[in-house]
Amino acid sequence: MSVDAIRNKYKAAGQDHLFTFWDKLSEQDRASLVRQLESIDVDRVNRIYKKAVGTEKEDNDPKHVADPIEPLPMDACESVVHHPDNEQAWRRTGLEAISRGEVAVLLLAGGQGTRLGSSAPKGCYDIGLPSHKTLFQLQAERIARLQTVAEKECKRPAGSVIIPWYVMTSGPTRADTEAFFTKNKYFGLTSKNVVFFEQGTLPCMTMEGKIMLDSPSHVAVAPDGNGGLYAATRAPLSPSDTRSVLSDLEQRKIRYIHCYCVDNCLVKVADPVFIGCCIHKQVDCAAKVVPKASPTESVGVLARRGDKFSVVEYSEISKEQAERRNESGELAFNAGNIVNHFYTLNFLKAVEAFEDDFAFHIARKKIPYVDLQTGELNKPSKPNGMKFEMFVFDVFPFTERFAVLEVTRKEEFSPLKNAPGTGSDDPDTSRRDLLAQHKRFLVEAGATVKDGVEIEVSPLVSYAGEGLEHVKGKTFTKSGIASSVEELDALL
């Protein structure tokens, strides 16, 4: 597109102030600004601003009657906590889909470990296991093990089952993430089956809806939230690779996708039970949940807002609602959100058609900006602009066939959110929860583990407790790492 065409487009959108310093820019800076402006859908940005501000105004209107919040309908809920009867059938269905090459994984890994005292991508973090494996390595090895399990149980040739892994990074983390995988030889996975892509950004705007500059030749931008996943799956993988995540999924004939957050050390990547449950229920989209730890736990819950599925923040639920119980004595609003989702490929492809109906969430922030009169960079002391985010669960209200699977917290959810020593959702609790799970694997296989003994069982040995039959009747007296079944015998 020519410079004149871009300028006319921005003028028609009421955003031509972005060319204020054009006459003073070098040729290099002009080219840089044009490239950025060409990559921004300015009409979409205006729609996002208008929609977000309008929705916020409506929600804050005292006369506004909000849709009632109700617990999930029973027919949408399945559970392996209270009703494990179907678990084996679901697992078999999921493994068969995996063995046919129909399952892929989307990893939300755009965050840095800033709160953990690290500027590296969060997936590079070592939670303190005896092996010092990072979150990325644990998850990669679960994929590798699950591929092997599917081959053996579904009688496929060795090395024939592939679960492609799509890793969503962000601007600040992409280079470091790719370098970390390269350095570690993709943790044993084949590099062509690990696909990196980047979370999008949106321009920062003034309270009046004008796009901001953070230099005379650069628009101020911010990440568009983990809900930017959907637009990111349609974008080119890189400036030199015109493929998109969606086109690659189609090319591989993927039908089902598991999506999760990098910071959960217990995540069952491409969980065949979850995949199989969703296939059985013939849903387009689904969410895993864990029972709330208490009525007052500060966690969003899956519920119905009016006639639509939604994640309802804990602050939106009254004390009476939070404490309400159903006929079986469980909390009525009990489905704690853990950012663990299922999609069909057809659903992911359909998101673009209703994406404009999403209400982006406004975050008012202190955003450095260039004064259009002086050209000087100002660093405000109070919020002066807006950043816009979408959450990954914002698609739920648009889902026609939706389901929820309740799973056990101690087996599937231990998030890494806080700095070491916090005592909650920190590296110590992640390490504790993972090693406790490994002990349960051994005990449930018929072994005895002496008090105080800590054994780390590699994901390459067991994905979810399977493959440990030979430990039955044995007593483990030594702490250590088992990177193979044979190494377990050294810990007796």
Side-chain angles (χ1 to χ4, degrees):
M1 194 182 293
S2 70
V3 173
D4 285 343
I6 293 172
R7 197 161 189 165
N8 287 336
K9 182 178 179 182
Y10 275 79
K11 184 175 182 179
Q15 302 286 0
D16 54 327
H17 61 281
L18 299 175
F19 288 87
T20 295
F21 304 103
W22 182 261
D23 293 341
K24 299 177 182 178
L25 297 180
S26 66
E27 285 302 315
Q28 184 177 354
D29 285 344
R30 285 183 178 183
S32 175
L33 178 61
V34 165
R35 279 196 304 272
Q36 188 185 23
L37 294 180
E38 195 169 17
S39 71
I40 294 170
D41 184 342
V42 67
D43 295 322
R44 176 173 178 257
V45 172
N46 281 346
R47 290 196 302 271
I48 288 170
Y49 170 82
K50 186 176 179 180
K51 176 86 172 177
V53 170
T55 300
E56 184 183 69
K57 185 177 179 181
E58 182 183 354
D59 289 344
N60 292 334
D61 186 342
K63 296 178 183 177
H64 174 63
V65 180
D67 289 327
I69 297 170
E70 296 292 342
L72 292 168
M74 293 303 294
D75 62 356
C77 303
E78 297 289 352
S79 176
V80 300
V81 179
H82 302 291
H83 308 288
D85 313 354
N86 297 319
E87 189 170 351
Q88 285 307 311
W90 291 337
R91 180 179 179 275
R92 182 67 193 179
T93 297
L95 279 179
E96 287 173 349
I98 289 168
S99 77
R100 294 191 297 267
E102 296 174 351
V103 175
V105 175
L106 281 175
L107 169 59
L108 306 178
Q112 293 169 292
T114 310
R115 278 201 269 176
L116 304 168
S118 168
S119 60
K122 213 172 187 182
C124 301
Y125 196 82
D126 169 5
I127 61 174
L129 291 171
S131 67
H132 296 289
K133 288 179 180 178
T134 60
L135 292 169
F136 279 141
Q137 183 168 354
L138 291 170
Q139 292 159 26
E141 290 182 354
R142 284 181 193 141
I143 289 173
R145 171 63 184 172
L146 189 55
Q147 290 174 164
T148 301
V149 170
E151 286 164 1
K152 288 180 178 177
E153 294 196 26
C154 299
K155 297 180 172 53
R156 303 281 176 174
S160 66
V161 172
I162 295 168
I163 303 171
W165 197 15
Y166 297 84
V167 181
M168 186 173 83
T169 64
S170 61
T173 66
R174 181 165 189 166
D176 288 345
T177 300
E178 293 195 35
F180 191 70
F181 273 77
T182 301
K183 177 185 175 184
N184 289 282
K185 299 180 180 178
Y186 291 79
F187 309 104
L189 298 175
T190 305
S191 60
K192 69 179 181 180
N193 297 323
V194 182
V195 179
F196 300 99
F197 66 113
E198 198 167 315
Q199 178 180 353
T201 59
L202 283 170
C204 303
M205 303 185 84
T206 67
M207 304 301 185
E208 297 74 36
K210 295 294 184 181
I211 295 174
M212 302 170 77
L213 291 169
D214 57 13
S215 86
S217 61
H218 191 266
V219 171
V221 296
D224 54 5
N226 58 20
L229 164 74
Y230 305 107
T233 61
R234 302 191 298 268
L237 293 177
S238 72
S240 60
D241 191 341
T242 58
R243 290 178 303 154
S244 68
V245 170
L246 288 183
S247 70
D248 198 65
L249 287 165
E250 283 201 285
Q251 191 271 326
R252 293 175 187 263
K253 295 183 171 55
I254 298 296
R255 298 180 66 189
Y256 312 110
I257 297 103
H258 177 223
C259 173
Y260 69 96
C261 240
V262 73
D263 63 5
N264 178 12
C265 70
L266 294 181
V267 64
K268 290 184 177 179
V269 186
D271 178 17
V273 174
F274 187 33
I275 300 292
C277 174
C278 294
I279 292 172
H280 271 256
K281 293 185 74 70
Q282 296 184 306
V283 296
D284 304 311
C285 178
K288 267 190 186 182
V289 299
V290 295
K292 285 181 67 174
S294 70
T296 57
E297 184 182 10
S298 300
V299 61
V301 295
L302 266 291
R304 294 276 280 186
R305 197 189 295 271
D307 62 349
K308 299 182 183 299
F309 293 98
S310 183
V311 171
V312 178
E313 296 302 329
Y314 63 91
S315 56
E316 298 178 82
I317 296 177
S318 68
K319 183 175 183 293
E320 181 185 10
Q321 286 175 312
E323 295 176 350
R324 181 172 148 195
R325 295 187 180 271
N326 58 27
E327 293 176 359
S328 59
E330 296 172 344
L331 294 173
F333 293 95
N334 200 35
N337 176 43
I338 62 172
V339 193
N340 194 312
H341 304 153
F342 164 93
Y343 312 101
T344 63
L345 177 58
N346 286 339
F347 179 79
L348 278 184
K349 287 161 57 180
V351 170
E352 184 176 13
F354 52 78
E355 204 169 39
D356 276 353
D357 293 327
F358 293 156
F360 278 72
H361 309 273
I362 299 172
R364 289 175 173 80
K365 300 286 186 179
K366 292 180 283 188
I367 303 170
Y369 70 99
V370 168
D371 187 305
L372 297 179
Q373 304 299 320
T374 65
E376 294 179 355
L377 180 66
N378 288 333
K379 295 186 177 180
S381 57
K382 60 182 181 180
N384 64 310
M386 299 177 172
K387 296 180 179 181
F388 299 94
E389 289 185 323
M390 188 171 74
F391 301 142
V392 69
F393 51 74
D394 284 340
V395 297
F396 291 175
F398 300 88
T399 309
E400 292 182 12
R401 295 178 298 177
F402 186 81
V404 171
L405 178 65
E406 181 187 54
V407 297
T408 308
R409 185 184 292 245
K410 69 179 182 179
E411 297 295 350
E412 301 212 29
F413 187 55
S414 181
L416 180 60
K417 304 286 186 188
N418 301 319
T422 306
S424 172
D425 297 343
D426 68 5
D428 292 333
T429 59
S430 292
R431 178 187 189 277
R432 176 201 71 199
D433 292 345
L434 191 53
L435 291 177
Q437 183 187 63
H438 293 178
K439 181 177 180 178
R440 286 194 300 276
F441 286 173
L442 296 170
V443 171
E444 288 166 9
T448 300
V449 181
K450 290 288 189 181
D451 290 345
V453 170
E454 291 184 333
I455 298 175
E456 180 185 346
V457 179
S458 168
L460 295 172
V461 174
S462 184
Y463 174 87
E466 82 296 327
L468 299 172
E469 294 80 10
H470 92 292
V471 305
K472 186 174 182 179
K474 297 180 179 180
T475 299
F476 291 93
T477 61
K478 301 173 188 173
S479 296
I481 305 164
S483 298
S484 67
V485 172
E486 292 73 24
E487 288 184 11
L488 280 167
D489 288 338
L491 303 175
L492 296 173

